[in-house]
């Protein structure tokens, strides 16, 4: 990389608009933030997105399955997240998932039906303590979701102005407070001034530029330390593929190895909401989605190997893939992790191992974590609150977590959940004339409950439905696993669990 510099002459930048709340990034977090802010009463919101559609990884990166929305028989992730599927459920083949009234069910016949859909059946309890049950893991059609996300915003067009094809390049900060941003578009370089800015870029583009502390990539052995370019195959028979796997377990294991060898990187076939379409997820190790060469390598390497992988699958499993063809390639890079906020609270494995409780909880999500058997964990407001910079919030996959815990907290549900909370917090701060650090968190929590977000320890929620708290208490917050028990024993002896230590240090 060149070490030369070009001195940019000073210039006057026209102000495109002034708003109360500016949301930068229209992915799962940013879309939910703008929507929830409007529903909380905010009237002057701008939502800025670099592409021409909402959804980010969910719609553009083809991350077309949202996992672990439930634990036992309770749907812990609702709000805007569940609204996606309520809307999509009206469209033929747009959604495929166990229904809300089926979650937690242990009927062997139903378990058999859903075992072919990854994560729709629980992982059985780590340490053997929990029987398998149905889980609310939802497969959806990304193009239909693009339409629904636009519809959701259009219903609040009196409050939300959408700016597609606009890329923020710089934060405007004065005396430790963010005042707005500078962005680029086909109209040139302009500025937007705002009372509160929500960085929902996923890569911390705003908070990094504003001077807030942050860390970089996740641990090298984590899923989050990889990039992807997802593509889909049509003309397949997913049900035949599942039957072939059941009848040929050794060959199925060999297929997975062969696919990786053919591609040169880890790759897997996953189901979709259509029985004749599957999506090919992949993992390019030790790639940073903020580095140009890592981005370029991921795009090119994946595309160069698509037909090789397809031909290999056709040869090995003709019963399912003989008529397969390239259906489409995701229009944007699959991004898992780059920058991570060092916020007012940094989430770690301890939050999962000890069911830490937070007075400023904004989401209580079931996640994919073997420490607490995928049980719900409290995500505090401080985890999206940057240090040093005022009136800036940072929900989404770049929230404040260490290099291991980020693996359980940067999936689509957590992006939607923290985004929804950020939007409500921004609306409350603007309405009451406070800062984001000084916002009335109790009011934020009550509004989130009104927006169908489960917060079991909140008085308003508990009065309406005490069964959520009863569920986590009855099932020990998932801390019946061998790993959690070892961590508890070590803490009681004023030591540290070697296994939990390994989780943090990997």
């Amino acid at each position: 990389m060149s070490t030369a510099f070009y001195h940019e002459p000073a210039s006057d930048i026209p102000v495109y608009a002034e708003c109360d709340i500016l949301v930068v990034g229209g992915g799962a977090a940013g879309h939910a933030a703008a929507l929830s802010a409007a529903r909380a009463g905010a009237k002057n919101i701008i939502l800025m997105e670099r592409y021409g559609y909402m959804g980010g990884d969910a719609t553009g990166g083809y991350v077309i399955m949202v996992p672990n929305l439930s634990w036992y028989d309770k749907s812990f992730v609702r709000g805007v997240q569940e609204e996606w599927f309520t809307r999509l459920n009206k469209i033929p083949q747009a959604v495929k998932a166990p229904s809300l009234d089926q979650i937690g069910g242990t009927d062997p016949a139903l378990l058999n039906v859903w075992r072919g859909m990854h994560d729709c059946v629980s992982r059985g309890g780590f340490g053997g303590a929990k029987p398998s049950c149905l889980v609310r893991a939802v497969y959806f059609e990304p193009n239909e979701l693009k339409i629904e996300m636009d519809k959701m915003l259009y219903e609040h067009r009196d409050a939300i102005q959408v700016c597609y094809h606009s890329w923020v390049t710089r934060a405007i900060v004065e005396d430790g407070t963010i005042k707005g941003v500078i962005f680029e578009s086909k109209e040139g370089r302009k500025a937007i001034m705002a009372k509160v800015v929500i960085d929902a870029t996923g890569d911390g583009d705003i908070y990094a530029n504003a001077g807030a502390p942050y860390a970089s990539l996740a641990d090298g052995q984590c899923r989050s330390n990889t990039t992807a370019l997802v593509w889909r195959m049509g003309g397949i028979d997913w049900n035949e593929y599942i039957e072939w796997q059941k009848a040929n377990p050794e060959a199925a294991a060999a297929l997975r190895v062969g696919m990786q060898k053919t591609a040169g990187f880890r790759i897997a076939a996953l189901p979709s909401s259509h029985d004749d379409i599957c999506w090919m997820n992949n993992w390019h190790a030790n790639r940073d989605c903020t580095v140009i060469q890592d981005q370029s390598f991921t795009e090119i390497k994946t595309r160069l190997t698509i037909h090789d992988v397809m031909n290999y699958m056709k040869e090995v499993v003709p019963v399912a893939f003989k008529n397969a063809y390239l259906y489409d390639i995701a229009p944007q890079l699959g991004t898992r992790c780059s920058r991570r906020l060092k916020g007012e609270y940094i989430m770690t494995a301890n939050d999962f191992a000890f069911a830490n409780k937070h007075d400023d909880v904004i989401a209580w999500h079931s996640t994919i974590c073997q420490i607490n058997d995928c049980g719900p964990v409290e995500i505090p407001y401080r985890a999206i609150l940057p240090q040093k910079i005022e009136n800036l919030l940072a929900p989404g996959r770049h929230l404040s977590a260490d290099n291991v815990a980020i693996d359980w907290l940067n999936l689509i549900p957590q992006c939607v959940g923290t985004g929804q909370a950020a939007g409500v917090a921004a609306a409350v701060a603007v309405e009451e004339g406070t800062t984001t650090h000084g916002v009335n968190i109790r009011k934020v929590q009550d509004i989130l409950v009104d927006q169908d977000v489960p917060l079991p320890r909140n008085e308003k929620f508990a009065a309406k439905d005490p069964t959520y708290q009863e569920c986590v208490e009855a099932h020990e917050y998932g801390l019946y696993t061998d790993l959690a028990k070892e961590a508890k024993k070590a803490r009681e002896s004023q030591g540290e669990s070697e296994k939990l230590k390994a989780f943090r240090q990997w």
Side-chain angles (χ1 to χ4, degrees), residues 68 70-72 125-127 129-130 347-356 364-378 408-409 472 475-485 487 500 503:
N68 281 59
S70 64
W71 194 58
Y72 286 89
F126 300 94
K130 173 186 171 186
M347 298 194 72
T348 71
N350 285 339
D351 287 291
F352 298 82
F354 303 111
N356 288 341
W364 198 355
H365 281 196
S366 39
T367 66
I368 297 176
C369 177
Q370 64 179 353
I371 295 175
N372 66 342
D373 193 24
C374 303
V377 60
E378 294 194 5
W408 308 311
L409 293 164
V472 293
H475 299 295
E476 306 173 71
Y477 293 83
L479 303 183
Y480 43 68
T481 67
D482 293 341
L483 186 56
K485 288 177 180 178
L500 190 59
F503 261 95

Side-chain angles (χ1 to χ4, degrees), residues 317-337:
V317 198
V319 67
F321 298 115
K322 65 180 178 181
N323 296 318
Y325 61 90
L326 177 61
Y327 184 78
D328 58 8
I329 303 172
Q332 72 183 63
L333 186 76
T335 51
R336 293 187 171 103
C337 186

Side-chain angles (χ1 to χ4, degrees), residues 274-397:
H274 305 263
D275 291 338
D276 60 346
I277 298 173
C278 69
W279 56 296
M280 304 298 293
N281 203 354
N282 46 80
W283 296 263
H284 293 268
N286 301 314
R287 299 287 172 177
D288 184 331
C289 55
T290 63
V291 175
I292 294 172
Q293 288 306 309
D294 285 356
Q295 293 173 315
S296 301
F297 174 90
T298 303
E299 297 262 9
I300 295 170
K301 180 65 173 176
T302 305
R303 285 193 287 264
L304 289 178
T305 59
I306 286 176
H307 286 291
D308 292 337
V309 171
M310 285 180 58
N311 290 336
Y312 177 76
M313 296 176 74
K314 287 180 180 181
E315 183 176 359
V316 176
V317 198
V319 67
F321 298 115
K322 65 180 178 181
N323 296 318
Y325 61 90
L326 177 61
Y327 184 78
D328 58 8
I329 303 172
Q332 72 183 63
L333 186 76
T335 51
R336 293 187 171 103
C337 186
S338 54
R339 304 183 188 100
R340 290 176 289 112
L341 181 69
K342 288 186 176 180
E344 296 292 355
Y345 182 86
I346 300 174
M347 298 194 72
T348 71
N350 285 339
D351 287 291
F352 298 82
F354 303 111
N356 288 341
K357 297 177 176 60
H358 301 286
D359 289 341
D360 61 338
V361 57
I362 52 172
W364 198 355
H365 281 196
S366 39
T367 66
I368 297 176
C369 177
Q370 64 179 353
I371 295 175
N372 66 342
D373 193 24
C374 303
V377 60
E378 294 194 5
I379 303 174
Y381 175 68
R382 287 164 293 152
I384 65 169
L385 190 62
Q387 298 180 35
K388 296 185 178 181
I389 304 297
E390 190 57 88
N391 289 346
L392 177 63
L393 294 172
R397 64 179 173 83

Side-chain angles (χ1 to χ4, degrees), residues 74-138:
K74 300 298 176 187
S75 57
F76 278 89
V77 188
R78 296 206 307 261
V80 172
Q81 180 68 95
E82 189 58 50
E83 185 178 344
W84 286 10
F85 310 126
T86 301
R87 289 170 174 261
L88 287 173
N89 201 46
K90 301 173 184 177
I91 304 168
Q93 292 190 299
V95 168
K96 191 171 186 178
S99 62
L100 287 171
D101 60 359
Q102 290 177 323
I103 58 175
T106 58
D107 180 347
L110 282 175
L111 292 177
N112 183 62
V113 168
W114 287 105
R115 282 194 192 278
M117 304 293 287
H118 178 64
D119 271 346
C120 287
V121 176
S122 71
R123 303 182 183 205
F126 300 94
K130 173 186 171 186
S132 294
C133 65
L134 292 176
V135 176
R136 182 72 165 162
V138 184

Side-chain angles (χ1 to χ4, degrees), residues 249-282:
E250 291 184 3
L255 172 67
R256 290 189 288 271
V257 174
M259 288 168 61
Q260 180 167 332
K261 184 177 179 180
T262 301
F265 49 87
R266 184 183 167 208
I267 186 167
L270 294 168
S272 75
S273 59
H274 305 263
D275 291 338
D276 60 346
I277 298 173
C278 69
W279 56 296
M280 304 298 293
N281 203 354
N282 46 80

